[in-house]
Amino acid sequence: MGSASPRDHLMKLLEPVVSAEGLDLEDITVTQAGKRRLLRVIVDRDGGVSLDDVADVSQAVSTALDDTDAMGQAAYTLEVSSPGVDRPLTEPRHWRRAAKRLVKAELRDGTVVEGRVKTADESGVDLDVAGEPRRLGYEDLTRGRVQVEFRRIDDVDGDEG
């Protein structure tokens, strides 16, 4: 069969580098930006990613790329960041990290459920849907999206004072 794509090659190269920094490698994209290429590395972990985390993993990724010449001789810009709120929830860890957040879940049967993530484990997610608990197995989900809220539930819990 065919050889691995450049993205697959970079994912395989950088996953252990990012993992060694205590982070998960979520995605890699390479796009043309004028005469240069832009390499975007998206990382995350439970509890979120700090600016220091981004700086540390950026240095480690840069070193790995320089040591292997994986990006070739042409100039490129490296950008390391955490996923945005619009990232689809497709993996158990994404759902777990969305605890307490309002989400819209798309189901395999074509229906959509909106609720607040209570918990998530390796087999599914527990939502509060209009005050009623609902368990969704990952086999029933296609994806989910965090809904933008101007005042999240944890803001309400700790604001009285």
Side-chain angles (χ1 to χ4, degrees), residues 10-124:
L10 286 168
M11 289 287 288
K12 187 175 181 175
L13 170 70
L14 297 180
E15 194 284 325
V17 174
V18 171
S19 183
E21 297 294 325
L23 301 167
D24 295 317
L25 178 59
E26 293 293 341
D27 197 14
I28 292 176
T29 59
V30 181
T31 54
Q32 198 66 37
K35 293 181 180 180
R36 292 178 169 261
R37 291 169 295 158
L38 174 62
L39 171 60
R40 270 196 187 100
V41 178
I42 309 298
V43 298
D44 202 5
R45 78 161 148 216
D46 291 359
V49 178
S50 72
L51 289 176
D52 287 339
D53 296 330
V54 169
D56 292 344
V57 79
S58 181
Q59 183 62 45
V61 165
S62 181
T63 299
L65 291 171
D66 290 346
D67 288 350
T68 62
D69 199 31
M71 290 297 290
Q73 297 301 314
Y76 70 93
T77 300
L78 173 63
E79 178 183 293
V80 178
S81 66
S82 60
V85 70
D86 60 342
R87 177 220 20 217
L89 307 175
T90 57
E91 300 287 332
R93 69 178 178 264
H94 301 159
W95 289 94
R96 185 179 66 244
R97 291 171 183 157
K100 298 184 182 180
R101 304 294 300 268
L102 184 64
V103 299
K104 197 174 275 189
E106 298 173 15
L107 306 180
R108 293 206 187 280
D109 67 6
T111 61
V112 176
V113 175
E114 186 171 272
R116 193 164 301 280
V117 176
K118 292 300 187 183
T119 62
D121 56 31
E122 291 306 309
S123 63

